[in-house]
mmCIF file of all heavy atoms in Angstrom:
data_model
loop_
_atom_site.group_PDB
_atom_site.id
_atom_site.type_symbol
_atom_site.label_atom_id
_atom_site.label_comp_id
_atom_site.label_asym_id
_atom_site.label_seq_id
_atom_site.Cartn_x
_atom_site.Cartn_y
_atom_site.Cartn_z
ATOM 1 N N PRO Q 317 211.374 54.779 193.565
ATOM 2 C CA PRO Q 317 212.669 54.119 193.754
ATOM 3 C C PRO Q 317 213.499 54.903 194.759
ATOM 4 O O PRO Q 317 213.308 56.130 194.906
ATOM 5 C CB PRO Q 317 213.319 54.109 192.356
ATOM 6 C CG PRO Q 317 212.174 54.329 191.414
ATOM 7 C CD PRO Q 317 211.197 55.199 192.166
ATOM 8 N N PRO Q 318 214.471 54.277 195.417
ATOM 9 C CA PRO Q 318 215.331 55.008 196.378
ATOM 10 C C PRO Q 318 216.023 56.207 195.710
ATOM 11 O O PRO Q 318 216.552 56.108 194.625
ATOM 12 C CB PRO Q 318 216.358 53.937 196.802
ATOM 13 C CG PRO Q 318 215.669 52.644 196.568
ATOM 14 C CD PRO Q 318 214.792 52.844 195.377
ATOM 15 N N GLY Q 319 215.967 57.325 196.409
ATOM 16 C CA GLY Q 319 216.613 58.527 195.916
ATOM 17 C C GLY Q 319 215.819 59.322 194.917
ATOM 18 O O GLY Q 319 216.308 60.338 194.413
ATOM 19 N N TRP Q 320 214.558 58.924 194.658
ATOM 20 C CA TRP Q 320 213.729 59.610 193.659
ATOM 21 C C TRP Q 320 212.326 59.834 194.205
ATOM 22 O O TRP Q 320 211.874 59.128 195.103
ATOM 23 C CB TRP Q 320 213.638 58.759 192.387
ATOM 24 C CG TRP Q 320 214.891 58.785 191.588
ATOM 25 C CD1 TRP Q 320 216.010 57.990 191.777
ATOM 26 C CD2 TRP Q 320 215.196 59.624 190.482
ATOM 27 N NE1 TRP Q 320 216.969 58.294 190.903
ATOM 28 C CE2 TRP Q 320 216.514 59.287 190.067
ATOM 29 C CE3 TRP Q 320 214.480 60.626 189.795
ATOM 30 C CZ2 TRP Q 320 217.119 59.928 189.011
ATOM 31 C CZ3 TRP Q 320 215.096 61.270 188.740
ATOM 32 C CH2 TRP Q 320 216.404 60.909 188.359
ATOM 33 N N ARG Q 321 211.696 60.883 193.669
ATOM 34 C CA ARG Q 321 210.272 61.093 193.903
ATOM 35 C C ARG Q 321 209.566 60.979 192.551
ATOM 36 O O ARG Q 321 209.913 61.708 191.599
ATOM 37 C CB ARG Q 321 210.018 62.474 194.490
ATOM 38 C CG ARG Q 321 210.451 62.638 195.942
ATOM 39 C CD ARG Q 321 210.316 64.071 196.375
ATOM 40 N NE ARG Q 321 208.958 64.585 196.164
ATOM 41 C CZ ARG Q 321 208.639 65.873 196.114
ATOM 42 N NH1 ARG Q 321 209.595 66.769 196.250
ATOM 43 N NH2 ARG Q 321 207.412 66.262 195.970
ATOM 44 N N VAL Q 322 208.639 60.068 192.454
ATOM 45 C CA VAL Q 322 207.857 59.898 191.233
ATOM 46 C C VAL Q 322 206.393 60.200 191.583
ATOM 47 O O VAL Q 322 205.846 59.634 192.514
ATOM 48 C CB VAL Q 322 207.964 58.478 190.647
ATOM 49 C CG1 VAL Q 322 207.167 58.343 189.361
ATOM 50 C CG2 VAL Q 322 209.438 58.122 190.403
ATOM 51 N N GLU Q 323 205.797 61.109 190.820
ATOM 52 C CA GLU Q 323 204.407 61.517 191.102
ATOM 53 C C GLU Q 323 203.637 61.586 189.790
ATOM 54 O O GLU Q 323 204.178 61.910 188.752
ATOM 55 C CB GLU Q 323 204.361 62.921 191.772
ATOM 56 C CG GLU Q 323 205.043 62.992 193.131
ATOM 57 C CD GLU Q 323 204.959 64.388 193.715
ATOM 58 O OE1 GLU Q 323 204.166 65.218 193.205
ATOM 59 O OE2 GLU Q 323 205.653 64.634 194.702
ATOM 60 N N ASP Q 324 202.323 61.313 189.891
ATOM 61 C CA ASP Q 324 201.446 61.549 188.772
ATOM 62 C C ASP Q 324 201.230 63.055 188.581
ATOM 63 O O ASP Q 324 201.345 63.815 189.535
ATOM 64 C CB ASP Q 324 200.091 60.867 188.985
ATOM 65 C CG ASP Q 324 200.220 59.350 188.982
ATOM 66 O OD1 ASP Q 324 201.138 58.809 188.386
ATOM 67 O OD2 ASP Q 324 199.352 58.700 189.594
ATOM 68 N N VAL Q 325 200.955 63.430 187.347
ATOM 69 C CA VAL Q 325 200.703 64.829 187.007
ATOM 70 C C VAL Q 325 199.253 64.979 186.550
ATOM 71 O O VAL Q 325 198.732 64.131 185.792
ATOM 72 C CB VAL Q 325 201.653 65.302 185.896
ATOM 73 C CG1 VAL Q 325 201.317 66.717 185.449
ATOM 74 C CG2 VAL Q 325 203.088 65.248 186.393
ATOM 75 N N ALA Q 326 198.579 66.024 186.992
ATOM 76 C CA ALA Q 326 197.199 66.279 186.607
ATOM 77 C C ALA Q 326 197.151 66.775 185.158
ATOM 78 O O ALA Q 326 197.640 67.857 184.871
ATOM 79 C CB ALA Q 326 196.586 67.314 187.546
ATOM 80 N N VAL Q 327 196.569 65.963 184.295
ATOM 81 C CA VAL Q 327 196.463 66.315 182.870
ATOM 82 C C VAL Q 327 195.025 66.078 182.432
ATOM 83 O O VAL Q 327 194.257 65.400 183.141
ATOM 84 C CB VAL Q 327 197.437 65.471 181.999
ATOM 85 C CG1 VAL Q 327 198.887 65.895 182.231
ATOM 86 C CG2 VAL Q 327 197.296 63.987 182.284
ATOM 87 N N PRO Q 328 194.588 66.605 181.280
ATOM 88 C CA PRO Q 328 193.227 66.410 180.838
ATOM 89 C C PRO Q 328 192.840 64.955 180.640
ATOM 90 O O PRO Q 328 193.717 64.083 180.495
ATOM 91 C CB PRO Q 328 193.198 67.176 179.531
ATOM 92 C CG PRO Q 328 194.239 68.203 179.653
ATOM 93 C CD PRO Q 328 195.306 67.545 180.429
ATOM 94 N N GLY Q 329 191.536 64.713 180.671
ATOM 95 C CA GLY Q 329 191.065 63.352 180.430
ATOM 96 C C GLY Q 329 191.530 62.804 179.087
ATOM 97 O O GLY Q 329 191.660 63.545 178.111
ATOM 98 N N GLY Q 330 191.814 61.506 179.029
ATOM 99 C CA GLY Q 330 192.343 60.906 177.830
ATOM 100 C C GLY Q 330 193.845 60.895 177.756
ATOM 101 O O GLY Q 330 194.426 60.399 176.791
ATOM 102 N N TYR Q 331 194.508 61.445 178.815
ATOM 103 C CA TYR Q 331 195.952 61.463 178.905
ATOM 104 C C TYR Q 331 196.397 60.971 180.284
ATOM 105 O O TYR Q 331 195.605 60.941 181.239
ATOM 106 C CB TYR Q 331 196.505 62.902 178.763
ATOM 107 C CG TYR Q 331 196.356 63.476 177.383
ATOM 108 C CD1 TYR Q 331 195.160 64.100 176.998
ATOM 109 C CD2 TYR Q 331 197.406 63.478 176.477
ATOM 110 C CE1 TYR Q 331 195.033 64.673 175.724
ATOM 111 C CE2 TYR Q 331 197.271 64.053 175.222
ATOM 112 C CZ TYR Q 331 196.087 64.644 174.841
ATOM 113 O OH TYR Q 331 195.977 65.219 173.616
ATOM 114 N N ALA Q 332 197.643 60.562 180.370
ATOM 115 C CA ALA Q 332 198.280 60.284 181.642
ATOM 116 C C ALA Q 332 199.624 60.995 181.654
ATOM 117 O O ALA Q 332 200.285 61.123 180.627
ATOM 118 C CB ALA Q 332 198.496 58.770 181.832
ATOM 119 N N GLY Q 333 200.041 61.438 182.839
ATOM 120 C CA GLY Q 333 201.294 62.170 182.942
ATOM 121 C C GLY Q 333 201.989 61.847 184.249
ATOM 122 O O GLY Q 333 201.336 61.506 185.251
ATOM 123 N N ALA Q 334 203.310 61.964 184.291
ATOM 124 C CA ALA Q 334 204.069 61.687 185.493
ATOM 125 C C ALA Q 334 205.391 62.467 185.437
ATOM 126 O O ALA Q 334 205.873 62.829 184.378
ATOM 127 C CB ALA Q 334 204.368 60.203 185.670
ATOM 128 N N VAL Q 335 205.933 62.710 186.661
ATOM 129 C CA VAL Q 335 207.225 63.404 186.781
ATOM 130 C C VAL Q 335 208.077 62.637 187.781
ATOM 131 O O VAL Q 335 207.561 62.077 188.756
ATOM 132 C CB VAL Q 335 207.028 64.859 187.223
ATOM 133 C CG1 VAL Q 335 206.354 64.948 188.582
ATOM 134 C CG2 VAL Q 335 208.375 65.630 187.255
ATOM 135 N N ALA Q 336 209.375 62.590 187.532
ATOM 136 C CA ALA Q 336 210.332 61.961 188.435
ATOM 137 C C ALA Q 336 211.447 62.959 188.741
ATOM 138 O O ALA Q 336 212.037 63.524 187.790
ATOM 139 C CB ALA Q 336 210.921 60.695 187.828
ATOM 140 N N VAL Q 337 211.734 63.202 190.021
ATOM 141 C CA VAL Q 337 212.773 64.135 190.444
ATOM 142 C C VAL Q 337 213.741 63.459 191.363
ATOM 143 O O VAL Q 337 213.311 62.786 192.299
ATOM 144 C CB VAL Q 337 212.154 65.365 191.153
ATOM 145 C CG1 VAL Q 337 213.205 66.429 191.361
ATOM 146 C CG2 VAL Q 337 210.965 65.904 190.391
#
Side-chain angles (χ1 to χ4, degrees):
W320 287 82
R321 289 173 55 199
V322 181
E323 298 181 12
D324 293 335
V325 175
V327 290
Y331 291 84
V335 61
V337 189

